[in-house]
mmCIF file of all heavy atoms in Angstrom:
data_model
loop_
_atom_site.group_PDB
_atom_site.id
_atom_site.type_symbol
_atom_site.label_atom_id
_atom_site.label_comp_id
_atom_site.label_asym_id
_atom_site.label_seq_id
_atom_site.Cartn_x
_atom_site.Cartn_y
_atom_site.Cartn_z
ATOM 1 N N LEU A 220 76.196 99.939 34.175
ATOM 2 C CA LEU A 220 76.362 100.408 32.798
ATOM 3 C C LEU A 220 75.087 101.098 32.305
ATOM 4 O O LEU A 220 75.135 102.070 31.564
ATOM 5 C CB LEU A 220 76.732 99.240 31.878
ATOM 6 C CG LEU A 220 78.109 98.635 32.153
ATOM 7 C CD1 LEU A 220 78.402 97.514 31.180
ATOM 8 C CD2 LEU A 220 79.199 99.719 32.067
ATOM 9 N N LEU A 221 73.952 100.575 32.742
ATOM 10 C CA LEU A 221 72.667 101.137 32.326
ATOM 11 C C LEU A 221 72.470 102.545 32.891
ATOM 12 O O LEU A 221 72.003 103.460 32.200
ATOM 13 C CB LEU A 221 71.551 100.205 32.807
ATOM 14 C CG LEU A 221 70.117 100.565 32.442
ATOM 15 C CD1 LEU A 221 69.928 100.418 30.937
ATOM 16 C CD2 LEU A 221 69.131 99.671 33.192
ATOM 17 N N LEU A 222 72.859 102.721 34.166
ATOM 18 C CA LEU A 222 72.486 103.960 34.861
ATOM 19 C C LEU A 222 73.612 104.971 34.995
ATOM 20 O O LEU A 222 73.394 106.119 35.370
ATOM 21 C CB LEU A 222 71.937 103.621 36.253
ATOM 22 C CG LEU A 222 70.661 102.773 36.209
ATOM 23 C CD1 LEU A 222 70.224 102.376 37.602
ATOM 24 C CD2 LEU A 222 69.544 103.525 35.507
ATOM 25 N N TRP A 223 74.839 104.543 34.686
ATOM 26 C CA TRP A 223 75.969 105.446 34.864
ATOM 27 C C TRP A 223 75.822 106.746 34.079
ATOM 28 O O TRP A 223 76.044 107.842 34.627
ATOM 29 C CB TRP A 223 77.293 104.747 34.517
ATOM 30 C CG TRP A 223 78.497 105.471 35.032
ATOM 31 C CD1 TRP A 223 78.514 106.403 36.052
ATOM 32 C CD2 TRP A 223 79.841 105.351 34.571
ATOM 33 N NE1 TRP A 223 79.789 106.830 36.261
ATOM 34 C CE2 TRP A 223 80.630 106.217 35.366
ATOM 35 C CE3 TRP A 223 80.472 104.590 33.592
ATOM 36 C CZ2 TRP A 223 82.003 106.335 35.191
ATOM 37 C CZ3 TRP A 223 81.846 104.710 33.429
ATOM 38 C CH2 TRP A 223 82.602 105.572 34.219
ATOM 39 N N PRO A 224 75.402 106.670 32.790
ATOM 40 C CA PRO A 224 75.260 107.922 32.050
ATOM 41 C C PRO A 224 74.279 108.886 32.734
ATOM 42 O O PRO A 224 74.523 110.098 32.780
ATOM 43 C CB PRO A 224 74.708 107.473 30.684
ATOM 44 C CG PRO A 224 75.079 106.038 30.573
ATOM 45 C CD PRO A 224 75.090 105.498 31.948
ATOM 46 N N VAL A 225 73.227 108.332 33.295
ATOM 47 C CA VAL A 225 72.249 109.187 33.979
ATOM 48 C C VAL A 225 72.889 109.853 35.198
ATOM 49 O O VAL A 225 72.703 111.054 35.449
ATOM 50 C CB VAL A 225 71.023 108.364 34.413
ATOM 51 C CG1 VAL A 225 69.954 109.266 34.994
ATOM 52 C CG2 VAL A 225 70.468 107.576 33.235
ATOM 53 N N VAL A 226 73.657 109.052 35.951
ATOM 54 C CA VAL A 226 74.312 109.595 37.146
ATOM 55 C C VAL A 226 75.272 110.718 36.777
ATOM 56 O O VAL A 226 75.305 111.768 37.409
ATOM 57 C CB VAL A 226 75.063 108.472 37.896
ATOM 58 C CG1 VAL A 226 75.949 109.045 38.987
ATOM 59 C CG2 VAL A 226 74.073 107.486 38.497
ATOM 60 N N ARG A 227 76.053 110.505 35.710
ATOM 61 C CA ARG A 227 77.004 111.532 35.251
ATOM 62 C C ARG A 227 76.270 112.833 34.929
ATOM 63 O O ARG A 227 76.633 113.920 35.364
ATOM 64 C CB ARG A 227 77.718 111.064 33.997
ATOM 65 C CG ARG A 227 78.958 110.236 34.137
ATOM 66 C CD ARG A 227 80.179 110.993 34.646
ATOM 67 N NE ARG A 227 80.224 111.012 36.093
ATOM 68 C CZ ARG A 227 80.457 112.085 36.808
ATOM 69 N NH1 ARG A 227 80.642 113.241 36.242
ATOM 70 N NH2 ARG A 227 80.492 112.029 38.118
ATOM 71 N N LEU A 228 75.206 112.699 34.134
ATOM 72 C CA LEU A 228 74.437 113.869 33.723
ATOM 73 C C LEU A 228 73.878 114.598 34.943
ATOM 74 O O LEU A 228 73.986 115.827 35.068
ATOM 75 C CB LEU A 228 73.301 113.414 32.799
ATOM 76 C CG LEU A 228 72.330 114.500 32.330
ATOM 77 C CD1 LEU A 228 73.078 115.495 31.459
ATOM 78 C CD2 LEU A 228 71.186 113.880 31.540
ATOM 79 N N LEU A 229 73.326 113.806 35.877
ATOM 80 C CA LEU A 229 72.719 114.391 37.066
ATOM 81 C C LEU A 229 73.733 115.144 37.901
ATOM 82 O O LEU A 229 73.474 116.237 38.411
ATOM 83 C CB LEU A 229 72.152 113.271 37.934
ATOM 84 C CG LEU A 229 70.696 112.968 37.722
ATOM 85 C CD1 LEU A 229 70.311 111.783 38.560
ATOM 86 C CD2 LEU A 229 69.891 114.195 38.137
ATOM 87 N N SER A 230 74.898 114.541 38.050
ATOM 88 C CA SER A 230 75.923 115.132 38.883
ATOM 89 C C SER A 230 76.279 116.524 38.345
ATOM 90 O O SER A 230 76.481 117.468 39.102
ATOM 91 C CB SER A 230 77.099 114.186 38.924
ATOM 92 O OG SER A 230 78.272 114.858 39.142
ATOM 93 N N ARG A 231 76.304 116.655 37.020
ATOM 94 C CA ARG A 231 76.559 117.980 36.430
ATOM 95 C C ARG A 231 75.430 118.941 36.731
ATOM 96 O O ARG A 231 75.651 120.081 37.152
ATOM 97 C CB ARG A 231 76.707 117.868 34.926
ATOM 98 C CG ARG A 231 78.047 117.332 34.575
ATOM 99 C CD ARG A 231 78.164 117.100 33.101
ATOM 100 N NE ARG A 231 79.446 116.497 32.873
ATOM 101 C CZ ARG A 231 80.192 116.729 31.818
ATOM 102 N NH1 ARG A 231 79.778 117.545 30.888
ATOM 103 N NH2 ARG A 231 81.361 116.146 31.685
ATOM 104 N N LEU A 232 74.203 118.484 36.488
ATOM 105 C CA LEU A 232 73.055 119.372 36.697
ATOM 106 C C LEU A 232 72.959 119.817 38.156
ATOM 107 O O LEU A 232 72.699 120.981 38.458
ATOM 108 C CB LEU A 232 71.767 118.649 36.296
ATOM 109 C CG LEU A 232 71.603 118.325 34.820
ATOM 110 C CD1 LEU A 232 70.359 117.492 34.582
ATOM 111 C CD2 LEU A 232 71.529 119.607 34.006
ATOM 112 N N GLU A 233 73.186 118.863 39.085
ATOM 113 C CA GLU A 233 73.042 119.189 40.503
ATOM 114 C C GLU A 233 74.109 120.149 40.964
ATOM 115 O O GLU A 233 73.838 121.082 41.718
ATOM 116 C CB GLU A 233 73.122 117.911 41.343
ATOM 117 C CG GLU A 233 71.818 117.153 41.339
ATOM 118 C CD GLU A 233 71.997 115.723 41.821
ATOM 119 O OE1 GLU A 233 73.113 115.361 42.240
ATOM 120 O OE2 GLU A 233 71.013 114.970 41.766
ATOM 121 N N ASN A 234 75.328 119.934 40.502
ATOM 122 C CA ASN A 234 76.404 120.856 40.869
ATOM 123 C C ASN A 234 76.036 122.270 40.479
ATOM 124 O O ASN A 234 76.236 123.210 41.237
ATOM 125 C CB ASN A 234 77.700 120.468 40.168
ATOM 126 C CG ASN A 234 78.554 119.620 41.057
ATOM 127 O OD1 ASN A 234 78.754 119.962 42.213
ATOM 128 N ND2 ASN A 234 79.061 118.522 40.550
ATOM 129 N N ARG A 235 75.458 122.393 39.277
ATOM 130 C CA ARG A 235 75.079 123.716 38.812
ATOM 131 C C ARG A 235 73.967 124.294 39.703
ATOM 132 O O ARG A 235 73.996 125.444 40.071
ATOM 133 C CB ARG A 235 74.610 123.626 37.357
ATOM 134 C CG ARG A 235 75.041 124.811 36.553
ATOM 135 C CD ARG A 235 74.631 124.657 35.108
ATOM 136 N NE ARG A 235 75.274 123.538 34.447
ATOM 137 C CZ ARG A 235 74.777 122.945 33.365
ATOM 138 N NH1 ARG A 235 73.635 123.334 32.852
ATOM 139 N NH2 ARG A 235 75.421 121.959 32.801
ATOM 140 N N ALA A 236 72.995 123.429 40.050
ATOM 141 C CA ALA A 236 71.854 123.914 40.838
ATOM 142 C C ALA A 236 72.292 124.384 42.219
ATOM 143 O O ALA A 236 71.924 125.465 42.652
ATOM 144 C CB ALA A 236 70.808 122.815 40.958
#
Side-chain angles (χ1 to χ4, degrees):
Chain A
L220 293 181
L221 182 68
L222 298 176
W223 196 20
V225 185
V226 170
R227 273 289 87 227
L228 177 65
L229 265 175
S230 153
R231 283 175 184 215
L232 293 174
E233 281 164 5
N234 264 313
R235 217 177 296 157

